[in-house]
Amino acid sequence: MVERQQRILREQITVLQEEITALMVNARRNESIFKGYSALYVQLLNCETIDDVLASMTQTFQEQLALPELSLKFFDSPIELPEQYAFASDTHKQLLSKRFNSQSVYLGRLTKEEQKLLFRDEQVESVALVLLGNNQELGMLAFGSKDPAHFDPEMDYLLITQLQALLSVILPRLLAQS
């Protein structure tokens, strides 16, 4: 009887040790993500053009967060922007109606046609789509991963909404200067 209880306790200890190890790995990954976003916020505050914003985000997302695809698109800009920043005609409206209900952030997967609207690389398997502007009228930031499980609708998106708020202040100012 005592031996059986000891065996059960050893098994429970092993399970708990594995859980602690997994939590520590997750905490390290979360710390790395937080540091990447924190450094990005400072860089964004120093940007003087839309191209600077895109370059800062691209560097952070690709190098620190291992997210290979990034796209910044504006809906109906009053100024002429390079093609890379604009949706072709009203192609974004169907994407907006399909992927956004009451939220201003979408995490999950896209169809191939939707991916073509946003990314050069069609190998994106999961995405984060973020509407920009005080009323989500300005545009959309999209970043993608080749990992189908990277972005999931059940994930917390606190850092994404903080980036959304910062960009919603910075981008209108930069657009007005252009």
Side-chain angles (χ1 to χ4, degrees):
M1 179 72 131
V2 171
E3 288 178 15
R4 182 175 173 268
Q5 287 177 334
Q6 285 178 333
R7 183 177 46 82
I8 290 172
L9 286 173
R10 278 190 208 103
E11 290 171 0
Q12 289 175 340
I13 288 170
T14 301
V15 168
L16 289 173
Q17 287 173 331
E18 290 171 359
E19 287 178 10
I20 289 171
T21 300
L23 287 171
M24 288 172 44
V25 166
N26 197 26
R28 278 189 214 104
R29 190 183 77 221
N30 286 343
E31 180 181 19
S32 174
I33 291 169
F34 176 77
K35 285 180 179 179
Y37 271 91
S38 295
L40 175 61
Y41 298 156
V42 173
Q43 289 175 10
L44 290 174
L45 289 171
N46 291 311
C47 289
E48 295 181 8
T49 66
I50 300 294
D51 289 335
D52 292 345
V53 169
L54 187 61
S56 293
M57 288 192 302
T58 299
Q59 178 187 12
T60 298
F61 280 82
Q62 288 179 352
E63 294 175 12
Q64 295 180 2
L65 303 176
L67 296 170
E69 291 296 322
L70 177 79
S71 175
L72 177 61
K73 304 274 189 184
F74 295 96
F75 296 139
D76 298 311
S77 177
I79 62 167
E80 189 70 29
L81 291 170
E83 186 179 318
Q84 73 176 4
Y85 295 119
F87 285 101
S89 65
D90 289 336
T91 55
H92 65 282
K93 291 183 179 176
Q94 186 177 16
L95 177 64
L96 290 174
S97 66
K98 186 175 180 183
R99 299 297 173 191
F100 295 95
N101 296 322
S102 61
Q103 299 290 330
S104 61
V105 174
Y106 170 78
L107 303 174
R109 300 189 68 155
L110 296 178
T111 65
K112 293 293 182 194
E113 292 78 29
E114 291 169 329
Q115 287 178 28
K116 287 178 188 178
L117 291 175
L118 298 167
F119 303 113
R120 298 178 315 257
D121 183 0
E122 296 177 31
Q123 298 302 312
V124 172
E125 296 294 332
S126 63
V127 299
L129 304 179
V130 183
L131 295 177
L132 302 170
N134 293 330
N135 298 309
Q136 291 81 46
E137 78 291 352
L138 188 60
M140 181 185 303
L141 172 65
F143 38 100
S145 173
K146 294 189 185 308
D147 177 4
H150 190 92
F151 292 109
D152 180 88
E154 301 303 315
M155 293 175 67
D156 178 69
Y157 40 84
L158 172 67
L159 293 175
I160 293 173
T161 56
Q162 289 175 341
L163 177 62
Q164 176 186 41
L166 181 60
L167 289 173
S168 293
V169 171
I170 292 171
L171 291 174
R173 182 174 38 100
L174 295 177
L175 286 170
Q177 292 174 1
S178 298

